[in-house]
Amino acid sequence: MHTKRIRFPGLEKRLMSAQEAAELFRDGMVVGMSGFTKAGDCKAMPAALAERARRDGLSITLITGASLGNDSDGVMAEAGLLARRMPFQGDATLRRKINAGEVMFIDQHLSETAEQLRAGNLDAIDIAVIEAVAITEDGGIVPSTSVGNSANFAQQARRVIIELNLSMPAALEDLHDIYVPGPRPGRRPIPLTHCGQRIGTRAIEVDPARIAAIVLTDSPDSPSTILPPDAETQSIARHVVGFLQGEVDAGRLEPSLLPLQAGIGTIANAVLHGLVGSPFSGMTMYSEVLQDSAFDLLDSGQLTFASASSITLSERRHQAFLDDVERYRSRLLLRPQEISNHPEILRRLGLIAINTALEFDLYGNVNSTHVGGTHMMNGIGGSGDFARNAHLSIFVSKSVAKGGAVSSVVPMATHVDHTEHDVDVVATEWGLADLRGLAPRERARLIIERCCHPDFRDELRAYFERACAQAGGQTPQLLGEAFAWHLRYRDTGSMRP
Amino acid sequence: MHTKRIRFPGLEKRLMSAQEAAELFRDGMVVGMSGFTKAGDCKAMPAALAERARRDGLSITLITGASLGNDSDGVMAEAGLLARRMPFQGDATLRRKINAGEVMFIDQHLSETAEQLRAGNLDAIDIAVIEAVAITEDGGIVPSTSVGNSANFAQQARRVIIELNLSMPAALEDLHDIYVPGPRPGRRPIPLTHCGQRIGTRAIEVDPARIAAIVLTDSPDSPSTILPPDAETQSIARHVVGFLQGEVDAGRLEPSLLPLQAGIGTIANAVLHGLVGSPFSGMTMYSEVLQDSAFDLLDSGQLTFASASSITLSERRHQAFLDDVERYRSRLLLRPQEISNHPEILRRLGLIAINTALEFDLYGNVNSTHVGGTHMMNGIGGSGDFARNAHLSIFVSKSVAKGGAVSSVVPMATHVDHTEHDVDVVATEWGLADLRGLAPRERARLIIERCCHPDFRDELRAYFERACAQAGGQTPQLLGEAFAWHLRYRDTGSMRP
Ligand SMILES: CC(C)(COP(=O)(O)OP(=O)(O)OC[C@H]1O[C@@H](n2cnc3c(N)ncnc32)[C@H](O)[C@@H]1OP(=O)(O)O)[C@@H](O)C(=O)NCCC(=O)NCCS
Ligand SMILES: CC(C)(COP(=O)(O)OP(=O)(O)OC[C@H]1O[C@@H](n2cnc3c(N)ncnc32)[C@H](O)[C@@H]1OP(=O)(O)O)[C@@H](O)C(=O)NCCC(=O)NCCS
């Protein structure tokens, strides 16, 4: 079977086991691995490298597209392999090690990692490990269900290891559009002007001489674990859909809207799902990840094209997609994350970006990453790329977390990932605050009345009034009690008085 | 004299006094005015509108390029004219009213105001008031010492008022390059690929029928009030120059560097001045404002081209420039601020961006705007546009302010304008911390040892160690004492223990 998949003559000589390929690694190396929100991650090398870490004390810097599946990050972290990790993760074990200060985690805007590597702002990649569905007659690497940073890793690395995943259908070929911006100075404009446009090649072009090993695998991507829409997320979705309808009614948007981006996770997926059956049609997506909801909209016929860097689906949908790629071929493209998230393109297209906050404050400053201001959840991901450059930047969150003990609308965000400048709209299940063109004190009044859970509303209103009276300023805050709710939660297990 | 300046036939019939033109305004209107860091602001209309506010209670939303000169913002604020103001200011009287909650100030990334107007995210401009040096035979408006948002205002406004400034030399004509991005969807790439490239027209194209009034003026721009380099700023400059030299030595930069951007104010000017006589040559600038230091570098021959949106100089330099524009013509272009600050172009060119922090924290989060977390200084300006998209984002600050009572390096920034993701390097007079590729805990150690004033270093180190031990996490902080230094300053007049 793999002979049809390794089409460049002679390359099958580089076939070896993951254990043999793992011997190519040296302590302190910088390794670039495929994988983006669990999709297209390497299935065999993580365990083989973890084994070397346990046996030989191997320790590396690992850079990926985004999060890996198959517990790989956990297995590698547990084995002590990961000295440094960037630019995103979503694994419970690795998260624990990061928050214990045992793994140095560098949280980055997902469009920037490739740029920083190219600029020399990060140490160069020694070895790239890329999951592929085929190697073309020219030696091109055809990625699987994500592109992520794989093109950049493969082109920059001294040696490339391919994980050829035989369980991935060959039909995934031709779904990718690989474009890598040129060096600076002298870079040309990126020619992309609409979601469905091809601007690059169908495979990652590398000199086959640098392909040091090919490892055969057959494990599937791990399924997405997001939860189905519930009453709260459906309510958030209704508010967002109502807001967009208002924009159409006011003549600021066409019924086809503008290209949509939706963040990872349960809530953003539910909001996008809320567009199914809405009056909008002829929609497009220019996103980072396509979750189940994007396929719901492709299936409903409302979405005419979806461009992203990865496809991360629930078990059922994932299999259905792999079994019938043809059904989607003309409406789908996977791009490098540098292109799916590129400020140049996002600003040009003018997206409607929907991302999720852990908490946001009175003034619309958003914390997407740090629980209690200190503990990393996943990372900023692409939310900053999208929120900064969107036509409309929408942040959604449930109004409370932890069974109602925690308000997600707080006096002051304990960590800021997105400043008020990059947040046009916030919504919880209680309502939506349209913050465009408003000064901070005006934003505060709307956020309190529309978004805060009623159980916390009086206290938040009282805080705001006291801050205006006692501190004043453009952005009234009481530095002595700005985090009082969080301290109460720490000490009593609840933010409630 | 003005007949050579009003070249479109018949337009001189619209000549009128500022008082007459002020009668065109109605309560609640949105007004777009020229002016960017004091350059090219309107000299007559602000006072005439203030007069109407005092007489008739007129109140407007005022949008400009950036800050105005000639105390205009103060005069207008004092008269109660300004209900709302965006996107930047720098006036003591207006600042007081903003911080008292009397003027609603909307602080914006300077590349975004025009985009938000075009998108309908802000209310449309009713009247544009633009300082010009000429109106061409086609009715084109030739701006003076800044472009700012003038092109966008003039094209979007229902009516346009021109302030024709006869004291500005006609030689300023042909220094401007006016390009306005098209509507979305369907926008094309902005074709600019190097600093000196012309991509637009020499004047702002408007339908002359919309020119409702022409007011003659002859007052000069107000001079910049930045202070000359002192021991501390020279020391900061030495650290930055040394760092850039290291980048050249390591082969990551050419001796011509990459296009430079330097922020407004005393400190950024001093740092740029520090490049005079440095080993770098063939440099270019792609900045927002050109201060004295840019002209020092043009004069030293090290700067081959400077592109910006405004020219803001000290009195002496300003006059010398206006007296001899020819000397600089081939090395200077003024562009709309949307273009000087556009993410698409900044990311493509790959700038070295140098901006100033009021304070930054242990982890490199930067506060550029809010004194004590509450009180607006000027605004975020273009610092976010540049810091986010630069090849290298450098923030500079003196290590202490207020005669040493305040440390500018603090446990937690009281307001975040630039998150750690957008800050590659921080420098004070004590040293420079190269934060590239480092995790927060690593950043903290460097910032404490390199940048913090020695008088605060022990306490900051102790805070950090305690935060690691007691709170832990990716970004250790003690929410109960993160702002203790600021509270101490408020209560005792000093952050010192
Ligand atoms: C913010 C983010 C974690 C939300 O994820 P989600 O699946 O939609 O939301 P959930 O409500 O299930 O919340 C996830 C967890 O955060 C917790 N949480 C939510 N709000 C919280 C708060 N204010 N304080 C503490 N914990 C909170 C939830 O309890 C849940 O914890 P659990 O997993 O232990 O049950 C996720 O969107 C994220 O990582 N975002 C950053 C990256 C990003 O935005 N990328 C976008 C471009 S793809
Ligand atoms: C941050 C900024 C105010 C610094 O300006 P500067 O002229 O270089 O610096 P100075 O040291 O003179 O500081 C300006 C004022 O801030 C005060 N200041 C500085 N650090 C402070 C701190 N940590 N806490 C309180 N006040 C502080 C100074 O005391 C001074 O006050 P004064 O005018 O009452 O004397 C200015 O750069 C700015 O407004 N930046 C935001 C916009 C921007 O960066 N634009 C860049 C693109 S053009």
Side-chain angles (χ1 to χ4, degrees):
Chain A
M1 169 149 187
H2 65 258
T3 50
K4 272 199 278 182
R5 303 269 193 138
I6 307 179
R7 304 203 293 266
F8 186 82
L11 263 191
E12 63 285 348
K13 290 200 205 100
R14 314 263 163 82
L15 278 167
M16 62 180 83
S17 69
Q19 288 65 34
E20 287 167 316
E23 296 300 325
L24 298 172
F25 292 75
R26 297 284 162 270
D27 202 50
M29 275 186 169
V30 179
V31 177
M33 264 194 201
S34 69
F36 194 104
T37 50
K38 302 188 175 181
D41 58 339
C42 294
K43 309 301 191 291
M45 290 305 297
L49 289 169
E51 182 52 38
R52 279 217 49 209
R54 279 188 297 268
R55 202 183 62 212
D56 310 329
L58 183 74
S59 154
I60 62 171
T61 294
L62 178 64
I63 314 183
T64 56
S67 55
L68 305 180
N70 294 295
D71 297 328
S72 292
D73 259 325
V75 169
M76 290 188 287
E78 202 63 82
L81 177 70
L82 306 179
R84 310 176 76 70
R85 180 77 177 84
M86 62 189 92
F88 190 82
Q89 62 79 41
D91 180 272
T93 305
L94 174 56
R95 184 181 295 138
R96 208 166 50 240
K97 295 219 167 238
I98 287 169
N99 286 321
E102 293 167 24
V103 175
M104 292 294 105
F105 178 56
I106 296 95
D107 178 26
Q108 295 181 319
H109 298 304
L110 293 188
S111 79
E112 293 190 357
T113 309
E115 192 81 90
Q116 294 200 27
L117 281 166
R118 201 182 294 120
N121 287 342
L122 296 173
D123 290 340
I125 303 277
D126 293 297
I127 300 186
V129 192
I130 314 285
E131 176 169 279
V133 295
I135 300 172
T136 67
E137 22 290 287
D138 309 317
I141 302 168
V142 181
S144 60
T145 45
S146 73
V147 179
N149 284 317
S150 295
N152 308 83
F153 293 157
Q155 291 180 357
Q156 292 176 19
R158 289 188 294 113
R159 308 174 95 171
V160 179
I161 298 174
I162 307 288
E163 280 203 5
L164 198 66
N165 190 330
L166 303 177
S167 82
M168 292 278 182
L172 289 174
E173 214 172 321
D174 280 355
L175 275 189
H176 312 91
D177 185 46
I178 310 296
Y179 180 95
V180 176
R184 299 183 299 208
R187 183 178 295 172
R188 313 297 313 165
I190 304 173
L192 193 145
T193 60
H194 62 89
C195 297
Q197 187 181 349
R198 275 194 177 274
I199 58 172
T201 56
R202 279 152 210 262
I204 299 168
E205 295 177 348
V206 292
D207 174 1
R210 283 196 289 120
I211 299 183
I214 301 174
V215 174
L216 297 181
T217 70
D218 59 5
S219 308
D221 283 345
S222 22
S224 155
T225 52
I226 53 168
L227 303 171
D230 60 21
E232 278 88 31
T233 56
Q234 282 172 336
S235 176
I236 298 172
R238 266 196 306 279
H239 297 307
V240 171
V241 171
F243 168 77
L244 294 175
Q245 185 59 55
E247 291 298 293
V248 173
D249 294 345
R252 286 190 289 266
L253 286 175
E254 297 294 317
S256 57
L257 305 181
L258 279 165
L260 296 163
Q261 177 264 339
I264 52 158
T266 296
I267 301 178
N269 182 63
V271 171
L272 202 67
H273 181 84
L275 292 173
V276 176
S278 73
F280 312 124
S281 63
M283 293 185 282
T284 54
M285 271 191 92
Y286 195 83
S287 199
E288 186 180 279
V289 188
L290 302 179
Q291 301 191 113
D292 282 20
S293 53
F295 282 74
D296 296 338
L297 286 168
L298 285 167
D299 289 349
S300 78
Q302 293 170 277
L303 199 60
T304 59
F305 205 94
S307 164
S309 195
S310 93
I311 296 176
T312 305
L313 301 172
S314 61
E315 195 141 22
R316 183 184 61 79
R317 277 225 100 107
H318 186 65
Q319 205 46 54
F321 167 65
L322 293 184
D323 289 347
D324 193 6
V325 174
E326 291 317 316
R327 190 169 143 75
Y328 300 101
R329 182 177 303 285
S330 64
R331 296 183 289 159
L332 212 55
L333 273 182
L334 293 179
R335 307 179 187 276
Q337 70 196 72
E338 189 176 10
I339 301 301
S340 64
N341 290 30
H342 203 290
E344 169 171 343
I345 297 172
L346 305 188
R347 182 80 171 247
R348 183 182 300 148
L349 297 179
L351 306 196
I352 298 171
I354 304 166
N355 290 286
T356 310
L358 280 179
E359 65 179 8
F360 56 89
D361 70 20
L362 269 180
Y363 301 108
N365 298 289
V366 168
N367 175 6
S368 302
T369 55
H370 282 69
V371 175
T374 53
H375 281 59
M376 177 56 62
M377 175 64 75
N378 299 321
I380 195 166
S383 55
D385 295 321
F386 290 101
R388 173 66 62 89
N389 296 297
H391 165 88
L392 278 172
S393 165
I394 302 173
F395 277 90
V396 291
S397 177
K398 292 190 184 184
S399 70
V400 291
K402 305 296 166 203
V406 166
S407 174
S408 296
V409 187
V410 293
M412 186 185 243
T414 51
H415 178 91
V416 176
D417 291 296
H418 311 290
T419 70
E420 50 126 345
H421 310 94
D422 299 331
V423 181
D424 295 318
V425 169
V426 288
T428 66
E429 71 277 20
W430 294 97
L432 178 147
D434 176 0
L435 308 173
R436 291 175 294 172
L438 298 185
R441 289 174 189 234
E442 299 170 306
R443 296 166 74 102
R445 291 200 176 86
L446 264 191
I447 287 174
I448 294 168
E449 305 308 329
R450 300 277 165 83
C451 301
C452 186
H453 191 288
D455 290 358
F456 291 97
R457 211 175 275 170
D458 288 342
E459 202 184 342
L460 194 57
R461 201 185 292 117
Y463 174 87
F464 174 62
E465 299 302 342
R466 235 169 28 251
C468 288
Q470 290 170 29
Q474 163 84 349
T475 304
Q477 286 285 9
L478 298 169
L479 297 188
E481 42 175 306
F483 300 139
W485 295 16
H486 296 87
L487 292 169
R488 206 188 290 152
Y489 175 67
R490 184 195 67 187
D491 296 337
T492 71
S494 173
M495 283 189 179
R496 287 165 191 272
Chain B
M1 167 146 186
H2 65 257
T3 50
K4 272 198 279 181
R5 303 268 193 139
I6 307 180
R7 303 202 293 267
F8 186 83
L11 263 191
E12 62 286 348
K13 291 201 203 99
R14 316 262 163 84
L15 277 166
M16 62 180 81
S17 70
Q19 288 65 35
E20 288 168 314
E23 296 300 325
L24 299 172
F25 292 75
R26 297 285 163 269
D27 202 51
M29 274 186 168
V30 179
V31 177
M33 265 193 198
S34 70
F36 195 104
T37 50
K38 301 188 176 181
D41 57 342
C42 294
K43 310 300 191 291
M45 290 306 296
L49 289 170
E51 182 52 38
R52 280 216 50 209
R54 279 187 295 269
R55 203 183 61 211
D56 309 329
L58 182 75
S59 153
I60 62 171
T61 294
L62 178 63
I63 313 184
T64 56
S67 55
L68 305 179
N70 295 294
D71 297 326
S72 292
D73 259 325
V75 168
M76 291 188 285
E78 201 64 82
L81 176 70
L82 306 179
R84 310 176 74 70
R85 180 78 176 86
M86 60 189 95
F88 190 81
Q89 62 78 41
D91 179 272
T93 305
L94 175 55
R95 184 181 295 138
R96 207 165 50 238
K97 296 219 167 237
I98 288 169
N99 286 322
E102 293 166 25
V103 175
M104 292 295 104
F105 178 56
I106 297 95
D107 178 27
Q108 295 180 318
H109 298 303
L110 293 187
S111 78
E112 292 191 357
T113 309
E115 192 80 91
Q116 294 200 28
L117 282 166
R118 201 181 294 120
N121 287 342
L122 297 173
D123 288 341
I125 302 278
D126 293 299
I127 301 185
V129 193
I130 313 285
E131 176 169 280
V133 296
I135 300 172
T136 67
E137 24 290 288
D138 310 317
I141 303 168
V142 181
S144 60
T145 44
S146 72
V147 179
N149 284 317
S150 296
N152 308 82
F153 293 156
Q155 291 180 358
Q156 292 176 21
R158 290 188 294 114
R159 309 173 93 172
V160 179
I161 298 174
I162 307 289
E163 281 203 6
L164 198 66
N165 190 330
L166 303 176
S167 83
M168 291 278 182
L172 289 175
E173 214 171 319
D174 281 355
L175 274 189
H176 312 91
D177 184 46
I178 310 296
Y179 180 95
V180 176
R184 300 183 297 208
R187 183 176 295 172
R188 312 297 314 165
I190 304 173
L192 194 145
T193 59
H194 61 89
C195 296
Q197 186 180 348
R198 275 192 177 275
I199 58 172
T201 57
R202 279 153 210 263
I204 299 168
E205 295 176 347
V206 291
D207 173 2
R210 284 196 288 121
I211 298 183
I214 301 173
V215 174
L216 297 180
T217 70
D218 59 5
S219 308
D221 282 344
S222 21
S224 155
T225 51
I226 53 169
L227 303 170
D230 61 20
E232 278 90 30
T233 56
Q234 282 171 337
S235 175
I236 298 173
R238 266 196 306 280
H239 295 307
V240 172
V241 171
F243 167 77
L244 293 175
Q245 185 60 55
E247 291 298 293
V248 173
D249 294 345
R252 284 189 290 264
L253 286 175
E254 297 295 316
S256 57
L257 305 180
L258 279 166
L260 295 163
Q261 177 264 340
I264 52 158
T266 295
I267 300 177
N269 182 62
V271 171
L272 202 66
H273 182 84
L275 292 174
V276 176
S278 72
F280 311 122
S281 63
M283 292 184 282
T284 55
M285 270 189 94
Y286 195 83
S287 198
E288 185 181 279
V289 188
L290 302 178
Q291 301 191 114
D292 282 20
S293 51
F295 282 76
D296 296 338
L297 287 168
L298 285 167
D299 289 350
S300 78
Q302 292 169 276
L303 199 60
T304 59
F305 204 93
S307 164
S309 194
S310 95
I311 297 176
T312 304
L313 300 172
S314 62
E315 195 141 21
R316 183 182 61 79
R317 277 224 100 107
H318 187 66
Q319 204 46 56
F321 167 65
L322 292 184
D323 290 348
D324 193 6
V325 174
E326 290 317 317
R327 190 168 141 75
Y328 300 100
R329 184 177 301 285
S330 63
R331 295 182 289 159
L332 211 56
L333 273 183
L334 292 179
R335 309 181 186 274
Q337 70 197 71
E338 190 176 11
I339 301 301
S340 64
N341 290 30
H342 204 290
E344 169 171 343
I345 297 172
L346 305 186
R347 182 79 172 248
R348 182 182 300 148
L349 296 179
L351 306 194
I352 298 170
I354 304 166
N355 290 287
T356 309
L358 280 179
E359 65 179 9
F360 55 89
D361 70 19
L362 270 179
Y363 301 107
N365 297 289
V366 168
N367 174 6
S368 301
T369 55
H370 282 68
V371 175
T374 54
H375 280 60
M376 178 55 62
M377 175 64 76
N378 300 320
I380 195 167
S383 55
D385 294 321
F386 290 103
R388 173 67 61 90
N389 296 295
H391 164 88
L392 279 173
S393 167
I394 301 174
F395 277 89
V396 292
S397 176
K398 293 190 183 184
S399 70
V400 291
K402 305 297 165 202
V406 167
S407 174
S408 296
V409 187
V410 294
M412 186 187 242
T414 52
H415 179 92
V416 175
D417 291 297
H418 311 290
T419 69
E420 49 126 344
H421 310 94
D422 298 331
V423 182
D424 296 318
V425 169
V426 288
T428 66
E429 71 277 20
W430 295 96
L432 178 146
D434 177 0
L435 308 173
R436 292 175 293 173
L438 298 185
R441 289 173 189 234
E442 298 169 308
R443 296 166 76 104
R445 293 203 173 84
L446 262 190
I447 287 174
I448 294 168
E449 305 309 329
R450 300 275 165 83
C451 301
C452 187
H453 190 288
D455 289 358
F456 291 96
R457 211 173 276 168
D458 288 342
E459 204 184 341
L460 194 57
R461 201 184 292 117
Y463 174 87
F464 174 62
E465 298 301 344
R466 233 167 32 249
C468 289
Q470 290 170 29
Q474 163 83 349
T475 305
Q477 286 284 9
L478 298 169
L479 296 188
E481 43 173 307
F483 300 139
W485 295 16
H486 297 88
L487 293 169
R488 205 188 290 153
Y489 175 67
R490 184 194 66 187
D491 296 337
T492 70
S494 173
M495 282 190 181
R496 288 166 191 273

